PDB file of all heavy atoms in Angstrom:
ATOM      1  N   THR A  30       0.845  -1.196  -0.003  1.00 37.00           N
ATOM      2  CA  THR A  30      -0.010   0.019   0.007  1.00 37.00           C
ATOM      3  C   THR A  30       0.858   1.256   0.066  1.00 37.00           C
ATOM      4  O   THR A  30       0.650   2.208  -0.764  1.00 37.00           O
ATOM      5  CB  THR A  30      -0.926   0.069   1.183  1.00 37.00           C
ATOM      6  OG1 THR A  30      -1.648  -1.168   1.245  1.00 37.00           O
ATOM      7  CG2 THR A  30      -1.854   1.177   1.252  1.00 37.00           C
ATOM      8  N   SER A  31       1.910   1.310   0.882  1.00 38.00           N
ATOM      9  CA  SER A  31       2.683   2.475   0.854  1.00 38.00           C
ATOM     10  C   SER A  31       3.518   2.664  -0.420  1.00 38.00           C
ATOM     11  O   SER A  31       3.705   3.732  -0.936  1.00 38.00           O
ATOM     12  CB  SER A  31       3.737   2.410   2.020  1.00 38.00           C
ATOM     13  OG  SER A  31       4.612   1.278   1.905  1.00 38.00           O
ATOM     14  N   LEU A  32       3.890   1.535  -1.065  1.00 43.00           N
ATOM     15  CA  LEU A  32       4.513   1.735  -2.316  1.00 43.00           C
ATOM     16  C   LEU A  32       3.659   2.253  -3.409  1.00 43.00           C
ATOM     17  O   LEU A  32       4.098   3.049  -4.206  1.00 43.00           O
ATOM     18  CB  LEU A  32       5.055   0.222  -2.743  1.00 43.00           C
ATOM     19  CG  LEU A  32       6.225  -0.294  -2.003  1.00 43.00           C
ATOM     20  CD1 LEU A  32       6.508  -1.751  -2.552  1.00 43.00           C
ATOM     21  CD2 LEU A  32       7.433   0.500  -2.145  1.00 43.00           C
ATOM     22  N   GLY A  33       2.443   1.872  -3.335  1.00 43.00           N
ATOM     23  CA  GLY A  33       1.526   2.353  -4.290  1.00 43.00           C
ATOM     24  C   GLY A  33       1.327   3.826  -4.107  1.00 43.00           C
ATOM     25  O   GLY A  33       1.211   4.620  -5.116  1.00 43.00           O
ATOM     26  N   LEU A  34       1.163   4.339  -2.950  1.00 39.00           N
ATOM     27  CA  LEU A  34       1.058   5.685  -2.661  1.00 39.00           C
ATOM     28  C   LEU A  34       2.278   6.510  -3.207  1.00 39.00           C
ATOM     29  O   LEU A  34       2.168   7.559  -3.749  1.00 39.00           O
ATOM     30  CB  LEU A  34       0.819   6.012  -1.219  1.00 39.00           C
ATOM     31  CG  LEU A  34      -0.489   5.452  -0.664  1.00 39.00           C
ATOM     32  CD1 LEU A  34      -0.477   5.667   0.884  1.00 39.00           C
ATOM     33  CD2 LEU A  34      -1.627   6.181  -1.277  1.00 39.00           C
ATOM     34  N   ALA A  35       3.467   5.927  -2.953  1.00 43.00           N
ATOM     35  CA  ALA A  35       4.658   6.514  -3.506  1.00 43.00           C
ATOM     36  C   ALA A  35       4.699   6.588  -4.972  1.00 43.00           C
ATOM     37  O   ALA A  35       5.162   7.513  -5.631  1.00 43.00           O
ATOM     38  CB  ALA A  35       5.874   5.791  -2.981  1.00 43.00           C
ATOM     39  N   ILE A  36       4.233   5.492  -5.667  1.00 45.00           N
ATOM     40  CA  ILE A  36       4.187   5.512  -7.130  1.00 45.00           C
ATOM     41  C   ILE A  36       3.291   6.652  -7.636  1.00 45.00           C
ATOM     42  O   ILE A  36       3.724   7.375  -8.486  1.00 45.00           O
ATOM     43  CB  ILE A  36       3.659   4.185  -7.661  1.00 45.00           C
ATOM     44  CG1 ILE A  36       4.646   3.044  -7.327  1.00 45.00           C
ATOM     45  CG2 ILE A  36       3.344   4.247  -9.125  1.00 45.00           C
ATOM     46  CD1 ILE A  36       4.238   1.733  -7.703  1.00 45.00           C
ATOM     47  N   ALA A  37       2.222   6.771  -7.046  1.00 42.00           N
ATOM     48  CA  ALA A  37       1.274   7.814  -7.503  1.00 42.00           C
ATOM     49  C   ALA A  37       1.875   9.306  -7.252  1.00 42.00           C
ATOM     50  O   ALA A  37       1.672  10.074  -8.050  1.00 42.00           O
ATOM     51  CB  ALA A  37      -0.111   7.668  -6.761  1.00 42.00           C
ATOM     52  N   ALA A  38       2.553   9.444  -6.114  1.00 42.00           N
ATOM     53  CA  ALA A  38       3.009  10.690  -5.742  1.00 42.00           C
ATOM     54  C   ALA A  38       4.348  11.037  -6.501  1.00 42.00           C
ATOM     55  O   ALA A  38       4.551  12.129  -6.864  1.00 42.00           O
ATOM     56  CB  ALA A  38       3.305  10.821  -4.278  1.00 42.00           C
ATOM     57  N   THR A  39       5.121  10.030  -6.854  1.00 43.00           N
ATOM     58  CA  THR A  39       6.426  10.277  -7.407  1.00 43.00           C
ATOM     59  C   THR A  39       6.488  10.181  -8.897  1.00 43.00           C
ATOM     60  O   THR A  39       7.161  10.880  -9.654  1.00 43.00           O
ATOM     61  CB  THR A  39       7.459   9.264  -6.845  1.00 43.00           C
ATOM     62  OG1 THR A  39       7.359   9.182  -5.479  1.00 43.00           O
ATOM     63  CG2 THR A  39       8.942   9.629  -7.363  1.00 43.00           C
ATOM     64  N   THR A  40       5.637   9.291  -9.485  1.00 44.00           N
ATOM     65  CA  THR A  40       5.716   9.018 -10.851  1.00 44.00           C
ATOM     66  C   THR A  40       4.305   8.916 -11.418  1.00 44.00           C
ATOM     67  O   THR A  40       3.795   7.883 -11.788  1.00 44.00           O
ATOM     68  CB  THR A  40       6.435   7.753 -11.241  1.00 44.00           C
ATOM     69  OG1 THR A  40       5.788   6.607 -10.499  1.00 44.00           O
ATOM     70  CG2 THR A  40       7.924   7.836 -10.784  1.00 44.00           C
ATOM     71  N   PRO A  41       3.520  10.064 -11.501  1.00 39.00           N
ATOM     72  CA  PRO A  41       2.143   9.931 -11.930  1.00 39.00           C
ATOM     73  C   PRO A  41       1.918   9.354 -13.328  1.00 39.00           C
ATOM     74  O   PRO A  41       1.028   8.662 -13.657  1.00 39.00           O
ATOM     75  CB  PRO A  41       1.659  11.490 -11.851  1.00 39.00           C
ATOM     76  CG  PRO A  41       2.876  12.240 -11.915  1.00 39.00           C
ATOM     77  CD  PRO A  41       3.959  11.375 -11.216  1.00 39.00           C
ATOM     78  N   ALA A  42       2.889   9.742 -14.256  1.00 38.00           N
ATOM     79  CA  ALA A  42       2.722   9.203 -15.626  1.00 38.00           C
ATOM     80  C   ALA A  42       2.777   7.654 -15.659  1.00 38.00           C
ATOM     81  O   ALA A  42       2.120   6.947 -16.260  1.00 38.00           O
ATOM     82  CB  ALA A  42       3.690   9.837 -16.542  1.00 38.00           C
ATOM     83  N   LEU A  43       3.793   7.235 -14.918  1.00 42.00           N
ATOM     84  CA  LEU A  43       4.135   5.707 -14.831  1.00 42.00           C
ATOM     85  C   LEU A  43       2.953   5.050 -14.175  1.00 42.00           C
ATOM     86  O   LEU A  43       2.611   3.937 -14.547  1.00 42.00           O
ATOM     87  CB  LEU A  43       5.385   5.488 -14.041  1.00 42.00           C
ATOM     88  CG  LEU A  43       5.832   4.076 -13.909  1.00 42.00           C
ATOM     89  CD1 LEU A  43       6.018   3.391 -15.184  1.00 42.00           C
ATOM     90  CD2 LEU A  43       7.057   4.003 -12.995  1.00 42.00           C
ATOM     91  N   ALA A  44       2.435   5.649 -13.068  1.00 41.00           N
ATOM     92  CA  ALA A  44       1.393   5.047 -12.316  1.00 41.00           C
ATOM     93  C   ALA A  44       0.100   4.771 -13.146  1.00 41.00           C
ATOM     94  O   ALA A  44      -0.579   3.791 -12.930  1.00 41.00           O
ATOM     95  CB  ALA A  44       1.029   5.915 -11.108  1.00 41.00           C
ATOM     96  N   ALA A  45      -0.071   5.511 -14.191  1.00 35.00           N
ATOM     97  CA  ALA A  45      -1.249   5.336 -15.054  1.00 35.00           C
ATOM     98  C   ALA A  45      -1.052   4.282 -16.044  1.00 35.00           C
ATOM     99  O   ALA A  45      -2.020   3.749 -16.628  1.00 35.00           O
ATOM    100  CB  ALA A  45      -1.624   6.707 -15.710  1.00 35.00           C
ATOM    101  N   GLU A  46       0.149   3.821 -16.228  1.00 42.00           N
ATOM    102  CA  GLU A  46       0.414   2.871 -17.278  1.00 42.00           C
ATOM    103  C   GLU A  46       1.511   1.840 -16.838  1.00 42.00           C
ATOM    104  O   GLU A  46       2.571   2.278 -16.341  1.00 42.00           O
ATOM    105  CB  GLU A  46       0.964   3.518 -18.555  1.00 42.00           C
ATOM    106  CG  GLU A  46       1.232   2.579 -19.762  1.00 42.00           C
ATOM    107  CD  GLU A  46       1.671   3.386 -20.983  1.00 42.00           C
ATOM    108  OE1 GLU A  46       1.477   4.600 -21.000  1.00 42.00           O
ATOM    109  OE2 GLU A  46       2.221   2.715 -21.857  1.00 42.00           O
ATOM    110  N   GLU A  47       1.227   0.550 -16.940  1.00 50.00           N
ATOM    111  CA  GLU A  47       2.188  -0.350 -16.456  1.00 50.00           C
ATOM    112  C   GLU A  47       3.617  -0.288 -17.195  1.00 50.00           C
ATOM    113  O   GLU A  47       3.644  -0.153 -18.370  1.00 50.00           O
ATOM    114  CB  GLU A  47       1.644  -1.797 -16.645  1.00 50.00           C
ATOM    115  CG  GLU A  47       0.648  -2.154 -15.663  1.00 50.00           C
ATOM    116  CD  GLU A  47       0.299  -3.699 -15.683  1.00 50.00           C
ATOM    117  OE1 GLU A  47       1.070  -4.399 -16.404  1.00 50.00           O
ATOM    118  OE2 GLU A  47      -0.660  -4.113 -15.003  1.00 50.00           O
ATOM    119  N   ALA A  48       4.588  -0.449 -16.456  1.00 57.00           N
ATOM    120  CA  ALA A  48       5.962  -0.469 -16.940  1.00 57.00           C
ATOM    121  C   ALA A  48       6.255  -1.972 -17.377  1.00 57.00           C
ATOM    122  O   ALA A  48       5.563  -2.920 -16.908  1.00 57.00           O
ATOM    123  CB  ALA A  48       6.952  -0.049 -16.008  1.00 57.00           C
ATOM    124  N   PRO A  49       7.300  -2.210 -18.045  1.00 57.00           N
ATOM    125  CA  PRO A  49       7.616  -3.632 -18.395  1.00 57.00           C
ATOM    126  C   PRO A  49       7.879  -4.424 -17.196  1.00 57.00           C
ATOM    127  O   PRO A  49       8.470  -3.994 -16.203  1.00 57.00           O
ATOM    128  CB  PRO A  49       8.863  -3.449 -19.344  1.00 57.00           C
ATOM    129  CG  PRO A  49       8.805  -2.064 -19.774  1.00 57.00           C
ATOM    130  CD  PRO A  49       8.125  -1.244 -18.727  1.00 57.00           C
ATOM    131  N   GLU A  50       7.390  -5.633 -17.215  1.00 62.00           N
ATOM    132  CA  GLU A  50       7.593  -6.511 -16.015  1.00 62.00           C
ATOM    133  C   GLU A  50       8.698  -7.462 -16.198  1.00 62.00           C
ATOM    134  O   GLU A  50       9.193  -7.558 -17.295  1.00 62.00           O
ATOM    135  CB  GLU A  50       6.280  -7.193 -15.742  1.00 62.00           C
ATOM    136  CG  GLU A  50       5.854  -8.208 -16.771  1.00 62.00           C
ATOM    137  CD  GLU A  50       4.584  -8.937 -16.388  1.00 62.00           C
ATOM    138  OE1 GLU A  50       3.466  -8.409 -16.656  1.00 62.00           O
ATOM    139  OE2 GLU A  50       4.733 -10.019 -15.877  1.00 62.00           O
ATOM    140  N   LYS A  51       9.013  -8.178 -15.191  1.00 60.00           N
ATOM    141  CA  LYS A  51      10.052  -9.298 -15.267  1.00 60.00           C
ATOM    142  C   LYS A  51       9.661 -10.308 -16.272  1.00 60.00           C
ATOM    143  O   LYS A  51       8.473 -10.686 -16.349  1.00 60.00           O
ATOM    144  CB  LYS A  51      10.229  -9.910 -13.875  1.00 60.00           C
ATOM    145  CG  LYS A  51      10.713  -8.944 -12.800  1.00 60.00           C
ATOM    146  CD  LYS A  51      10.860  -9.808 -11.491  1.00 60.00           C
ATOM    147  CE  LYS A  51      11.364  -8.846 -10.336  1.00 60.00           C
ATOM    148  NZ  LYS A  51      11.415  -9.558  -9.057  1.00 60.00           N
ATOM    149  N   THR A  52      10.594 -10.725 -17.039  1.00 77.00           N
ATOM    150  CA  THR A  52      10.297 -11.809 -17.978  1.00 77.00           C
ATOM    151  C   THR A  52      10.341 -13.124 -17.347  1.00 77.00           C
ATOM    152  O   THR A  52      11.307 -13.485 -16.555  1.00 77.00           O
ATOM    153  CB  THR A  52      11.356 -11.739 -19.095  1.00 77.00           C
ATOM    154  OG1 THR A  52      11.446 -10.501 -19.750  1.00 77.00           O
ATOM    155  CG2 THR A  52      11.209 -12.818 -20.120  1.00 77.00           C
ATOM    156  N   TYR A  53       9.331 -13.957 -17.617  1.00 89.00           N
ATOM    157  CA  TYR A  53       9.291 -15.343 -16.961  1.00 89.00           C
ATOM    158  C   TYR A  53       8.677 -16.232 -17.927  1.00 89.00           C
ATOM    159  O   TYR A  53       8.017 -15.858 -18.936  1.00 89.00           O
ATOM    160  CB  TYR A  53       8.427 -15.258 -15.662  1.00 89.00           C
ATOM    161  CG  TYR A  53       7.011 -14.838 -15.831  1.00 89.00           C
ATOM    162  CD1 TYR A  53       5.989 -15.738 -16.118  1.00 89.00           C
ATOM    163  CD2 TYR A  53       6.651 -13.541 -15.573  1.00 89.00           C
ATOM    164  CE1 TYR A  53       4.714 -15.341 -16.305  1.00 89.00           C
ATOM    165  CE2 TYR A  53       5.352 -13.145 -15.794  1.00 89.00           C
ATOM    166  CZ  TYR A  53       4.399 -13.953 -16.094  1.00 89.00           C
ATOM    167  OH  TYR A  53       3.122 -13.563 -16.232  1.00 89.00           O
ATOM    168  N   THR A  54       8.799 -17.531 -17.641  1.00 94.00           N
ATOM    169  CA  THR A  54       8.235 -18.585 -18.403  1.00 94.00           C
ATOM    170  C   THR A  54       7.370 -19.390 -17.486  1.00 94.00           C
ATOM    171  O   THR A  54       7.692 -19.733 -16.369  1.00 94.00           O
ATOM    172  CB  THR A  54       9.316 -19.540 -18.961  1.00 94.00           C
ATOM    173  OG1 THR A  54      10.255 -18.785 -19.847  1.00 94.00           O
ATOM    174  CG2 THR A  54       8.680 -20.683 -19.759  1.00 94.00           C
ATOM    175  N   VAL A  55       6.016 -19.632 -17.962  1.00 96.00           N
ATOM    176  CA  VAL A  55       5.165 -20.372 -17.231  1.00 96.00           C
ATOM    177  C   VAL A  55       5.509 -21.901 -17.433  1.00 96.00           C
ATOM    178  O   VAL A  55       5.480 -22.384 -18.560  1.00 96.00           O
ATOM    179  CB  VAL A  55       3.697 -20.123 -17.639  1.00 96.00           C
ATOM    180  CG1 VAL A  55       2.684 -21.088 -16.899  1.00 96.00           C
ATOM    181  CG2 VAL A  55       3.323 -18.711 -17.421  1.00 96.00           C
ATOM    182  N   VAL A  56       5.903 -22.557 -16.321  1.00 96.00           N
ATOM    183  CA  VAL A  56       6.261 -24.036 -16.412  1.00 96.00           C
ATOM    184  C   VAL A  56       5.080 -24.853 -16.270  1.00 96.00           C
ATOM    185  O   VAL A  56       4.980 -25.859 -17.138  1.00 96.00           O
ATOM    186  CB  VAL A  56       7.194 -24.299 -15.032  1.00 96.00           C
ATOM    187  CG1 VAL A  56       7.495 -25.775 -15.111  1.00 96.00           C
ATOM    188  CG2 VAL A  56       8.470 -23.537 -15.190  1.00 96.00           C
ATOM    189  N   ARG A  57       4.072 -24.566 -15.432  1.00 97.00           N
ATOM    190  CA  ARG A  57       2.791 -25.315 -15.445  1.00 97.00           C
ATOM    191  C   ARG A  57       1.776 -24.504 -14.795  1.00 97.00           C
ATOM    192  O   ARG A  57       1.981 -23.715 -13.875  1.00 97.00           O
ATOM    193  CB  ARG A  57       3.183 -26.601 -14.553  1.00 97.00           C
ATOM    194  CG  ARG A  57       1.930 -27.499 -14.584  1.00 97.00           C
ATOM    195  CD  ARG A  57       2.251 -28.822 -13.812  1.00 97.00           C
ATOM    196  NE  ARG A  57       1.158 -29.777 -13.717  1.00 97.00           N
ATOM    197  CZ  ARG A  57       1.149 -31.042 -13.249  1.00 97.00           C
ATOM    198  NH1 ARG A  57       2.272 -31.489 -12.798  1.00 97.00           N
ATOM    199  NH2 ARG A  57       0.010 -31.648 -13.170  1.00 97.00           N
ATOM    200  N   GLN A  58       0.646 -24.789 -15.329  1.00 97.00           N
ATOM    201  CA  GLN A  58      -0.593 -24.060 -14.851  1.00 97.00           C
ATOM    202  C   GLN A  58      -1.444 -25.037 -14.033  1.00 97.00           C
ATOM    203  O   GLN A  58      -1.862 -26.125 -14.425  1.00 97.00           O
ATOM    204  CB  GLN A  58      -1.428 -23.564 -16.029  1.00 97.00           C
ATOM    205  CG  GLN A  58      -2.674 -22.751 -15.663  1.00 97.00           C
ATOM    206  CD  GLN A  58      -2.245 -21.358 -15.236  1.00 97.00           C
ATOM    207  OE1 GLN A  58      -1.499 -20.692 -15.838  1.00 97.00           O
ATOM    208  NE2 GLN A  58      -2.783 -20.916 -13.996  1.00 97.00           N
ATOM    209  N   TYR A  59      -1.740 -24.663 -12.777  1.00 97.00           N
ATOM    210  CA  TYR A  59      -2.586 -25.471 -11.877  1.00 97.00           C
ATOM    211  C   TYR A  59      -3.951 -24.724 -11.830  1.00 97.00           C
ATOM    212  O   TYR A  59      -4.171 -23.631 -12.362  1.00 97.00           O
ATOM    213  CB  TYR A  59      -1.956 -25.535 -10.487  1.00 97.00           C
ATOM    214  CG  TYR A  59      -0.693 -26.398 -10.488  1.00 97.00           C
ATOM    215  CD1 TYR A  59       0.567 -25.802 -10.765  1.00 97.00           C
ATOM    216  CD2 TYR A  59      -0.834 -27.769 -10.226  1.00 97.00           C
ATOM    217  CE1 TYR A  59       1.642 -26.623 -10.733  1.00 97.00           C
ATOM    218  CE2 TYR A  59       0.308 -28.636 -10.159  1.00 97.00           C
ATOM    219  CZ  TYR A  59       1.567 -28.049 -10.404  1.00 97.00           C
ATOM    220  OH  TYR A  59       2.694 -28.850 -10.383  1.00 97.00           O
ATOM    221  N   GLU A  60      -4.917 -25.357 -11.066  1.00 94.00           N
ATOM    222  CA  GLU A  60      -6.223 -24.754 -10.975  1.00 94.00           C
ATOM    223  C   GLU A  60      -6.208 -23.334 -10.363  1.00 94.00           C
ATOM    224  O   GLU A  60      -6.797 -22.434 -10.875  1.00 94.00           O
ATOM    225  CB  GLU A  60      -7.082 -25.687 -10.175  1.00 94.00           C
ATOM    226  CG  GLU A  60      -8.580 -25.142 -10.060  1.00 94.00           C
ATOM    227  CD  GLU A  60      -9.492 -26.171  -9.323  1.00 94.00           C
ATOM    228  OE1 GLU A  60      -8.960 -27.148  -8.974  1.00 94.00           O
ATOM    229  OE2 GLU A  60     -10.623 -25.804  -9.170  1.00 94.00           O
ATOM    230  N   SER A  61      -5.527 -23.175  -9.335  1.00 96.00           N
ATOM    231  CA  SER A  61      -5.472 -21.903  -8.514  1.00 96.00           C
ATOM    232  C   SER A  61      -4.228 -21.087  -8.642  1.00 96.00           C
ATOM    233  O   SER A  61      -4.135 -19.920  -8.194  1.00 96.00           O
ATOM    234  CB  SER A  61      -5.794 -22.233  -7.034  1.00 96.00           C
ATOM    235  OG  SER A  61      -4.711 -22.933  -6.550  1.00 96.00           O
ATOM    236  N   PHE A  62      -3.174 -21.581  -9.229  1.00 98.00           N
ATOM    237  CA  PHE A  62      -1.892 -20.938  -9.371  1.00 98.00           C
ATOM    238  C   PHE A  62      -1.145 -21.468 -10.547  1.00 98.00           C
ATOM    239  O   PHE A  62      -1.561 -22.374 -11.230  1.00 98.00           O
ATOM    240  CB  PHE A  62      -1.108 -21.064  -8.094  1.00 98.00           C
ATOM    241  CG  PHE A  62      -0.545 -22.392  -7.862  1.00 98.00           C
ATOM    242  CD1 PHE A  62       0.744 -22.676  -8.140  1.00 98.00           C
ATOM    243  CD2 PHE A  62      -1.371 -23.401  -7.335  1.00 98.00           C
ATOM    244  CE1 PHE A  62       1.261 -23.991  -8.021  1.00 98.00           C
ATOM    245  CE2 PHE A  62      -0.863 -24.750  -7.068  1.00 98.00           C
ATOM    246  CZ  PHE A  62       0.492 -24.960  -7.418  1.00 98.00           C
ATOM    247  N   GLU A  63       0.035 -20.767 -10.814  1.00 98.00           N
ATOM    248  CA  GLU A  63       0.920 -21.241 -11.844  1.00 98.00           C
ATOM    249  C   GLU A  63       2.307 -21.220 -11.371  1.00 98.00           C
ATOM    250  O   GLU A  63       2.707 -20.479 -10.384  1.00 98.00           O
ATOM    251  CB  GLU A  63       0.823 -20.434 -13.132  1.00 98.00           C
ATOM    252  CG  GLU A  63       1.229 -18.997 -12.976  1.00 98.00           C
ATOM    253  CD  GLU A  63       1.034 -18.216 -14.260  1.00 98.00           C
ATOM    254  OE1 GLU A  63       0.087 -18.660 -15.114  1.00 98.00           O
ATOM    255  OE2 GLU A  63       1.627 -17.118 -14.449  1.00 98.00           O
ATOM    256  N   VAL A  64       3.217 -22.101 -11.827  1.00 98.00           N
ATOM    257  CA  VAL A  64       4.599 -22.079 -11.593  1.00 98.00           C
ATOM    258  C   VAL A  64       5.328 -21.412 -12.675  1.00 98.00           C
ATOM    259  O   VAL A  64       5.204 -21.642 -13.851  1.00 98.00           O
ATOM    260  CB  VAL A  64       5.097 -23.507 -11.408  1.00 98.00           C
ATOM    261  CG1 VAL A  64       6.623 -23.562 -11.108  1.00 98.00           C
ATOM    262  CG2 VAL A  64       4.351 -24.263 -10.185  1.00 98.00           C
ATOM    263  N   ARG A  65       6.199 -20.382 -12.297  1.00 97.00           N
ATOM    264  CA  ARG A  65       6.910 -19.618 -13.254  1.00 97.00           C
ATOM    265  C   ARG A  65       8.457 -19.768 -12.920  1.00 97.00           C
ATOM    266  O   ARG A  65       8.949 -19.866 -11.750  1.00 97.00           O
ATOM    267  CB  ARG A  65       6.628 -18.091 -13.138  1.00 97.00           C
ATOM    268  CG  ARG A  65       5.142 -17.768 -13.388  1.00 97.00           C
ATOM    269  CD  ARG A  65       4.936 -16.268 -12.989  1.00 97.00           C
ATOM    270  NE  ARG A  65       3.601 -15.886 -13.141  1.00 97.00           N
ATOM    271  CZ  ARG A  65       3.140 -14.660 -12.730  1.00 97.00           C
ATOM    272  NH1 ARG A  65       3.958 -13.823 -12.193  1.00 97.00           N
ATOM    273  NH2 ARG A  65       1.907 -14.402 -12.927  1.00 97.00           N
TER     274      ARG A  65
END
């Protein structure tokens, strides 16, 4: 929650649009979760 408030206050343009995320590979998909 505190990080989110800091994002909004510090980087308003970025907060409105997702930045690139970590690259990962999905190894297996389960009913309620996935392994990456």
Side-chain angles (χ1 to χ4, degrees):
T30 304
S31 65
L32 287 177
L34 294 173
I36 290 174
T39 309
T40 58
L43 178 63
E46 181 178 347
E47 281 192 8
E50 65 178 85
K51 295 178 181 178
T52 301
Y53 62 83
T54 301
V55 176
V56 176
R57 184 170 178 178
Q58 184 74 52
Y59 292 88
E60 182 178 357
S61 60
F62 71 99
E63 65 184 19
V64 175
R65 300 175 184 171

